Amino acid sequence: MARWPATGRCKSRLGAGIGLAAAARIQRRLSEHTLATARQLDGTELVLAVSGLGPCGAQRWGHSLGAHRAVLQGDGGLGSRMARQLARACREGAQQVLLIGTDLPQLAQGDLEAASAALAERPLVLGPASDGGYWLIGLRRPQPSLLSGIPWGSAAVLRRTLERAAALGLEPALLAQRSDLDRPMDLEPWLG
């Protein structure tokens, strides 16, 4: 899932500290890195779910990044957009669906392989982020109520998702914690 990396249309929290143009350049590089990493997985269909572009622009951007195809995320909050992508993929016959954002400089092929292996054993997989959210969610079937009412962008995202998973009887597998890049202070490990 990615936002079109145009100045003022992505990475607003990061842009507030380093400037909107610089934040857009970082978003572009992170999107390229994420898709390059995901392309290394064999036997998967790579779908870029885009916001900030129309259908034709999304297809061009997805093609330029090596995605098999691109779809629009649609309206609504993050939980609604994620639930929509999970439902779409399952409707189209996916046995496993991994949703990853495009703000993880550390993302490696091994992370995605570990997520897929964990999802073969458990109904839910989450990649915890150091800010209290998560950098990956994987499911074998849609669970719209899992993503509803989550305080997106807060330090309580992972905790609330785990509480919701327990209430739904979904035993999650947790991957390694990673640091995503949302705010200027998140850049510090990557500078120099």
Side-chain angles (χ1 to χ4, degrees):
M1 295 186 67
R3 286 185 192 218
W4 171 241
T7 301
R9 298 176 93 183
C10 64
K11 291 286 180 211
S12 57
R13 290 180 288 179
L14 181 62
I18 66 169
L20 297 176
R25 285 192 301 275
I26 289 171
Q27 176 65 42
R28 180 176 302 279
R29 301 250 342 249
L30 287 170
S31 297
E32 291 167 354
H33 168 69
T34 301
L35 275 283
T37 302
R39 280 195 317 266
Q40 296 173 13
L41 290 180
D42 292 328
T44 62
E45 181 185 20
L46 181 56
V47 179
L48 179 65
V50 179
S51 69
L53 277 177
C56 292
Q59 290 300 326
R60 282 191 301 273
W61 189 39
H63 178 69
S64 76
L65 292 175
H68 293 106
R69 63 190 171 114
V71 298
L72 299 182
Q73 289 182 19
D75 296 329
L78 181 58
S80 297
R81 290 181 284 133
M82 290 169 55
R84 185 177 301 117
Q85 295 310 313
L86 288 161
R88 177 202 47 76
C90 290
R91 238 185 357 263
E92 293 173 354
Q95 301 299 305
Q96 289 187 348
V97 182
L98 299 175
L99 293 181
I100 54 176
T102 54
D103 58 357
L104 192 68
Q106 286 179 299
L107 183 67
Q109 179 182 351
D111 294 319
L112 301 179
E113 290 169 344
S116 182
L119 197 52
E121 302 294 322
R122 303 271 180 93
L124 169 66
V125 62
L126 294 164
S130 57
D131 63 2
Y134 43 87
W135 53 269
L136 175 144
I137 183 169
L139 288 162
R140 292 189 296 217
R141 62 184 178 90
Q143 296 285 345
S145 61
L146 177 68
L147 303 172
S148 143
I150 302 294
W152 302 105
S154 77
V157 170
L158 179 63
R159 180 179 53 81
R160 292 283 296 276
T161 304
L162 290 171
E163 289 170 358
R164 186 76 47 89
L168 293 168
L170 300 172
E171 185 181 347
L174 296 178
L175 303 173
Q177 180 174 299
R178 299 281 186 248
S179 296
D180 53 11
L181 210 159
D182 292 321
R183 295 175 179 85
M185 65 183 159
D186 298 332
L187 284 170
E188 291 176 18
W190 315 109
L191 297 175

